[in-house]
Amino acid sequence: MRVVFLGAPGVGKGTQADRIAAQFQVAKISTGDLLREAVRNRTVLGLEAKNCMDQGNLVPDDVVVRLVREKLADANCANGFVLDGFPRTVPQAEALGRVLSANGMALDLVVNFQVPREDIVRRLSGRRSCPKCQATFHVDFAPPKVDGICDRCGELLGQRSDDRRDAIEMRLKIYNEQTAPLVRYYDERQLLHPMDASGAVDVVFQHLSQELAPYRAT
Ligand code: AMP
């Protein structure tokens, strides 16, 4: 199973990618997670990427393509992978195509997650995460048992710097300008599959697992 999860920030790609990866035993490759880890570890890559990320801008194509190329070479991708948040530009999609075909592989499917804009802003601005164990919560939809405290490890919850209002607006603008063209790009290649992701997490997951079942590795 080799799939891409495409969609604006806040549509739930990451949450669904975690579940699908566990259910189908494939690797989840999230460029956002990889970049945030690099920022936390203060690596050269993290220091380079931090400013772009805080403002809601994209990190340069060559940086993320290199990250993904390394991850795809890992043994845990042998069974397949879910790409979450990559590609985000047409040049990234072209680079992905080249990396896969150089290894005799191709994508099976690109799932296009769709959620109305007002729901996206509500989802993102209410999102809280644990700086220690990375668990995520939502002030309305998935609140922690004790306000502001991580259920899993007891740490004080925080807000991602790019989940603040101004950064959200910037991320949505960038999505429309740079990532939305991928809908047409993959539609022309007959890989695009629309997915209504406005429902509850469990409902979306059920639909998604049904759609992806034919691509399960045998
Ligand atoms: P995400 O967690 O997918 O919302 O990504 C968080 C941030 O990481 C984005 O707003 C970008 O700054 C950066 N990022 C993640 N994936 C990419 C990508 N494929 N290309 C460029 N920047 C990315």
Side-chain angles (χ1 to χ4, degrees), residues 126-199:
R127 185 159 67 178
R128 299 289 180 271
S129 53
C130 175
K132 196 167 161 199
C133 74
Q134 316 318 319
T136 53
F137 301 87
H138 191 282
V139 291
D140 300 319
F141 309 130
K145 290 193 187 88
V146 180
D147 192 26
I149 305 289
C150 179
D151 285 357
R152 225 196 269 167
C153 72
E155 186 77 13
L156 214 55
L157 295 177
Q159 187 177 35
R160 264 170 58 172
S161 50
D162 59 352
D163 279 347
R164 299 184 204 281
R165 274 298 164 132
D166 50 340
I168 292 175
E169 291 301 328
M170 175 62 107
R171 287 160 74 198
L172 291 174
K173 180 170 175 281
I174 292 203
Y175 171 79
N176 287 330
E177 290 171 2
Q178 303 202 41
T179 310
L182 291 179
V183 171
R184 177 149 172 229
Y185 179 92
Y186 283 121
D187 195 26
E188 283 172 358
R189 284 157 183 78
Q190 270 120 46
L191 287 169
L192 198 74
H193 185 92
M195 173 67 50
D196 174 3
S198 58

Side-chain angles (χ1 to χ4, degrees), residues 2 96-107:
R2 300 184 188 109
L96 173 63
R98 286 194 295 274
V99 171
L100 292 177
S101 70
N103 291 289
M105 296 189 272
L107 289 176

